[in-house]
Amino acid sequence: MKLLRYGAPGAEKPGLLDASGRVRDLSGVVPDISGETLRPAGLKALHGLDPETLPLVDGTPQDDLRLGACVGNIGKFVCIGLNYADHAEEAGMPIPEEPIIFNKWTSAVVGPNDDIQVPRGSVKTDWEVELGVVIGEPGSYIDEGNAMDHVAGFCVINDVSERDFQLNRAGTWDKGKGCDTFGPTGPWLVTVDEIADMDNMGMWLDVDGKRMQTGSTATLIFKIPHLVSYCSQFMSLQSGDVISTGTPPGVGMGQSPQRYLHGGEVVTLGIDGLGEQRSKVLPA
């Protein structure tokens, strides 16, 4: 299934994408794409629905029908740093011995085609296409061998980052990661059963039509089951939490000369099987 949320900001309704690419309304079935809906029993109930019996929503998704973030009421937005061997190389940093964890504030979350706002004082706003893992079944101290039993699905994330805030303003990376609009999420949550090989998913990102990032989950240092298990050693994972798993090479900080977003650009990105995002960048 491809689950989504559509409508005006703050008033999104749950839906799913049918075989013809149209949105079907789920608001008569579930309150949102969040919480209990994402647990195994909730997903099983949705799998049992015939999309043709659900109300058809007017409009074309990501055209004249706005999509919100594909997960509602995200509790934790956990991010993994330097998790692609080729990105660590371009950053000039050693491959980490354990996953690097930081956070995005949930106030950063926006829809997949919403604008990205360059924050005040920014000089190094950057882009990062990433695979998002959405937690379904809650758990703590999850065994790696059972980790995928806790995953509801996957989505596209742009881990927008302000490098000066992140690296030069003292303290943790979080300062440069959680600015408003720095978390475009979606367009849809794709359930695990639709992905043939999560360890070989192509991903890409363009700025103004120029290809900047090309990569694959094949070069992940720490694979998805390990990340779910690892994170659960330090926090309980709840239904609707999101783990953003790192970015491949080609970020602005890695360009020569370095290139950053200042406003006026259009950023387009996608991952095989998970859809695409397209965001305009607004100046500070």
Side-chain angles (χ1 to χ4, degrees):
M1 291 183 295
K2 293 181 173 66
L3 302 174
L4 54 86
R5 301 169 67 250
Y6 70 93
E12 292 92 347
K13 296 181 179 181
L16 62 78
L17 196 72
D18 68 17
S20 63
R22 301 292 299 277
V23 173
R24 298 283 176 163
D25 180 44
L26 283 173
S27 58
V29 181
V30 294
D32 202 354
I33 306 301
S34 63
E36 291 294 314
T37 301
L38 298 174
R39 297 184 71 162
L43 293 179
K44 182 178 180 180
L46 292 180
H47 270 294
L49 297 174
D50 178 359
E52 297 296 320
T53 66
L54 298 170
L56 187 63
V57 178
D58 291 335
T60 301
Q62 298 184 276
D63 184 0
D64 56 350
L65 177 62
R66 176 189 176 270
L67 298 185
C70 58
V71 182
N73 299 312
I74 294 172
K76 292 189 290 294
F77 202 140
V78 182
C79 299
I80 309 299
L82 297 177
N83 196 30
Y84 283 76
D86 34 12
H87 174 52
E89 181 180 356
E90 78 166 347
M93 298 181 180
I95 291 176
E97 295 181 3
E98 295 186 48
I100 296 170
I101 296 177
F102 61 92
N103 293 291
K104 281 181 111 62
W105 317 127
T106 55
S107 52
V109 175
V110 291
N113 290 70
D114 289 348
D115 296 335
I116 294 169
Q117 176 68 63
V118 174
R120 294 180 186 178
S122 169
V123 292
K124 295 183 178 181
T125 295
D126 206 346
W127 56 82
E128 294 189 6
V129 58
E130 303 203 2
L131 171 67
V133 176
V134 181
I135 299 300
E137 181 67 17
S140 299
Y141 304 105
I142 296 167
D143 183 83
E144 187 170 336
N146 300 323
M148 294 309 298
D149 294 339
H150 295 263
V151 175
F154 305 107
C155 63
V156 181
I157 290 171
N158 187 356
D159 176 20
V160 186
S161 307
E162 213 296 337
R163 303 300 187 188
D164 189 54
F165 297 177
Q166 175 188 352
L167 300 173
N168 301 325
R169 296 291 295 274
T172 67
W173 287 5
D174 302 341
K175 288 181 182 177
K177 293 290 189 172
C179 300
D180 289 355
T181 75
F182 271 25
T185 302
W188 19 81
L189 184 164
V190 181
T191 51
V192 174
D193 58 290
E194 288 208 14
I195 303 302
D197 186 359
M198 65 184 178
D199 293 324
N200 191 27
M201 301 170 71
M203 51 208 307
W204 56 272
L205 182 145
D206 294 349
V207 178
D208 289 338
K210 180 180 179 181
R211 183 60 45 93
M212 306 303 291
Q213 289 188 271
T214 303
S216 168
T217 57
T219 65
L220 277 168
I221 298 167
F222 303 107
K223 303 297 185 181
I224 294 165
H226 181 76
L227 292 175
V228 172
S229 174
Y230 185 86
C231 290
S232 77
Q233 310 306 306
F234 304 99
M235 67 196 84
S236 62
L237 294 175
Q238 306 295 328
S239 304
D241 287 350
V242 174
I243 302 173
S244 196
T245 57
T247 198
V251 299
M253 182 174 62
Q255 305 297 313
S256 182
Q258 292 181 341
R259 177 179 177 182
Y260 295 108
L261 303 171
H262 301 288
E265 303 91 349
V266 175
V267 180
T268 312
L269 57 147
I271 299 177
D272 291 348
L274 302 184
E276 300 181 5
Q277 299 183 3
R278 183 180 187 275
S279 297
K280 295 179 181 179
V281 181
L282 304 181

